Amino acid sequence: MSKISSTLRENKKSLLDRKRLFKNKQNYTGNNNNLKFIKVPEEELEKIKEKIRVKAKKDKKRLNLIMVFTILLIVALFITCFKFLY
């Protein structure tokens, strides 16, 4: 019985230690408040945005093609499996 109570006490103590760790997050995250951002002209900013949009469209098309080929492959596998069963 004493073993059970000592285990419970240890578990409670470790739980309290974990709670203390998460209360004071500044000690672990550091002090990164000194961020400096580069000022970019509006024209260059628009070019960057357009590059991002073009890349996103390209990635979306690529993902769609991969999905179509994957679905076709799965359908073909099911058809061949059911042909062998019947």
Side-chain angles (χ1 to χ4, degrees):
M1 191 68 181
S2 65
K3 185 79 170 171
I4 294 172
S5 61
S6 65
T7 305
L8 287 173
R9 268 187 264 123
E10 288 174 14
N11 289 342
K12 188 175 182 180
K13 185 180 177 213
S14 67
L15 182 64
L16 289 175
D17 289 342
R18 275 187 263 151
K19 284 183 181 179
R20 281 188 217 124
L21 284 177
F22 289 110
K23 275 186 179 179
N24 195 1
K25 290 182 182 178
Q26 283 183 334
N27 294 339
Y28 301 103
T29 58
N31 214 3
N32 295 331
N33 295 337
N34 300 328
L35 298 176
K36 295 179 184 177
F37 295 101
I38 299 172
K39 301 274 182 171
V40 180
E42 287 293 323
E43 296 169 354
E44 194 173 337
L45 191 61
E46 288 300 321
K47 288 180 184 177
I48 293 170
K49 286 180 182 179
E50 189 60 33
K51 279 184 184 178
I52 293 171
R53 287 184 187 120
V54 168
K55 188 175 184 305
K57 281 184 182 180
K58 184 178 175 182
D59 290 344
K60 189 174 180 180
K61 283 182 183 179
R62 185 175 179 207
L63 181 65
N64 286 340
L65 280 173
I66 291 171
M67 292 294 290
V68 167
F69 285 127
T70 305
I71 290 171
L72 288 175
L73 180 66
I74 291 171
V75 168
L77 287 173
F78 272 119
I79 289 172
T80 56
C81 287
F82 285 120
K83 279 185 181 179
F84 287 122
L85 291 175
Y86 293 109

